[in-house]
Amino acid sequence: MNGTSIATTGRHAAESGVAAAGAVDLLTGGDSGAAWLARYNGALMGVFGTPQRVLVRGSGCHVWDADGNQYLDLLGGIAVNALGHAHPFVTSVISSQLATLGHVSNFFTSPTQVALAEKLLALSQAPSGSRVFFTNSGTEAVEAAFKLARRNSTPERHRIIALEGAFHGRTMGALALTSKQAYREPFEPLPGGVEHVPFGDIDALRATLDGTVAALVIEPIQGEAGVRPLSAAYLRAARELTREHGALLILDEVQSGIARTGRWFAHQWTDGVAPDAMTLAKGLGGGFPVGALVTFGEDVSTLISAGQHGTTFGGNPVATAAGLATLHALEASGALQHVCDVGAHVRSRLAGIEGVTAVRGEGLLIGFDLDGDHAPAAVQAALAAGFIINATGPSTIRLAPPLILTIEQAETFLDALPAILATALTTAREATA
C-alpha cells in the first residue's frame, strides 16, 4: 500500500473514530477521574493497586485523562504502542478485518495469519523449516517456549537455565523462569528444573552449561530489571555454549523486539547470534493483543507436534491483521533509523542531567539511574507535569515511548526533567523525615 492510500485510509479512520468514541461514551457514561477510580476499586481485582489516572483518549504520543489533562506518553503501555495511540492505518486495518472476519478458531486459518507468519520469518532471517506459533500475549509465548524446552529434554538433559534479574511473565511456567522472589514465593511450588545464574557473567554461564541443560532462556535486554543489556560477548558465548551442549537458546524479545532498539529484534545488533527460538508480543500488534513464538530451523520447529499445544484466540484474523499493519507502517516510515536517532539523542541528553548517574539501553528502550531512591516520587512528579514514565526500582526510571516519538517531543520531557527530579527528591525526603 503506498503512502497516499495510507493517508486516505487514515482520514477515513479518524472520521470514524469520532463516531466510535461517541458510541463508547453511550455504553460507559461520563464521569470524573475520581469517580471512575472509586468504581474501579469496587469492581476490579486489586492486583495492580489503584491506577494512577483514568485515560480516555489517545492520539500519537499523547493521551488524555477523564478530567481533560494531556500527557506525553513515554512508556507506550510498557513498550506496546509502537506506533502511538489511534494510529490511523492500524485502526483502519483492524476495523476492516473485524468487519470482514473476526474469529474462526485454529481449526481454520486466514490470509492474515499466514502472511504475518511469513513476514516474521523474513524479518527474523530464519532459515528454511522455521515456523511461527501465535499467542495472545508475551507470557503465553514464553509458556510455549517453556514447553519447547521440555520437548528438548531427556532423562539426562533436563535443566533449564535463566538469569538473575529475569522477567518472563506471571503464568506458572513463565514465573518459574522469572527470578524475583516476591513474584515467585506466593505461588510455589512452581514448575521445577529451572536454575538462575548471575546476569552477564560468562564464566558462570560456562560453568553451568553442560550436557544436562535442555535450554537457556535469556532477554537480550532485561526490561523489568532496569533496562540492562547483555553484552555482545555474552550473547555470542551463550550461542556457542548452547550449540556445543545440545541446549536450545531461547531469546525473550517480548519487550526488546519489533524495532524497539533500532533493529527488528535486539539480538540482531550482535552478528552471528541466531536463536533456536524467540518470543514476541508487546509492540507486535501496535496496541492490539498478539504474541508469537518463532522457532528456527526444521529440527526445533518439529519438537512440538500436533495436539501437544494450542490456543483458541491465538493468531485470530484481527490480531494478525494488526500485526501486519504495524510491521508495514514501521517499515514504510523508516522506523529503524528513526528509533536509533531519537534514542541516541535522548540517552545523550539524559547523561548530562544533574542527578542522573547512569544511562543504559538501545534505541527507545532506555533506563537511567538516579542519585537516590526517589524514582517512584519522580514518576508522580512527572505525571503532575504531564509526562508518563515508569520506575523499575527505587532509583531507576524506564522509558519505552512510542517509536514515532520525535526529538522535539522528547525535548519537552528532557527540559522538564531537572525540575521533576528536584520535586521528587524533596518529596522523598519529606516522606522519610
Side-chain angles (χ1 to χ4, degrees), residues 338 341-343 345-346 404-412 414:
H338 177 80
D341 293 343
V342 178
H345 177 84
V346 172
I404 60 172
L405 182 77
T406 65
I407 287 177
E408 291 73 21
Q409 289 170 330
E411 281 292 300
T412 64
L414 295 164

Side-chain angles (χ1 to χ4, degrees), residues 40-52 78 167 170-171 180 182-183 186-187 224:
Y40 177 99
N41 289 327
L44 281 90
M45 291 182 68
V47 296
F48 302 111
T50 300
Q52 299 175 57
I78 313 181
F167 181 87
R170 296 177 187 266
T171 50
K180 190 173 181 178
Y183 295 158
F187 304 101
E224 296 294 320

Side-chain angles (χ1 to χ4, degrees), residues 184-238:
R184 296 165 54 88
E185 288 175 355
F187 304 101
E188 292 175 341
L190 297 170
V194 178
E195 304 168 30
H196 291 88
V197 299
F199 173 86
D201 187 330
I202 296 176
D203 290 336
L205 184 65
R206 196 177 303 278
T208 299
L209 270 172
D210 58 25
T212 67
V213 175
L216 170 66
V217 185
I218 56 178
E219 302 156 272
I221 302 176
Q222 288 189 341
E224 296 294 320
V227 189
R228 300 196 301 173
L230 286 168
S231 69
Y234 189 94
L235 290 173
R236 290 193 184 101

Side-chain angles (χ1 to χ4, degrees), residues 137-160:
S137 66
T139 196
E140 290 178 50
V142 173
E143 289 289 333
F146 196 106
K147 291 177 76 172
L148 190 76
R150 287 284 195 244
R151 292 291 295 137
N152 192 49
S153 298
T154 67
E156 296 77 26
R157 187 173 63 205
H158 54 83
R159 299 161 61 212
I160 299 175

Side-chain angles (χ1 to χ4, degrees), residues 75-97:
L75 186 58
I78 313 181
V80 167
N81 297 306
L83 292 164
H85 299 271
H87 188 276
F89 178 59
V90 176
T91 55
S92 68
V93 169
I94 290 172
S95 298
S96 175
Q97 181 60 55

Side-chain angles (χ1 to χ4, degrees), residues 90 93-94 112 116 284-286 288 290 317-327:
V90 176
V93 169
I94 290 172
T112 58
L116 181 58
L284 178 56
F288 199 94
V290 58
V318 181
T320 48
L324 278 172
T326 299
L327 296 178

Side-chain angles (χ1 to χ4, degrees), residues 93-119:
V93 169
I94 290 172
S95 298
S96 175
Q97 181 60 55
L98 186 58
T100 304
L101 185 68
H103 176 76
V104 296
S105 89
N106 281 300
F107 289 126
F108 305 91
T109 190
S110 66
T112 58
Q113 185 182 69
V114 176
L116 181 58
E118 291 173 339
K119 187 65 176 178

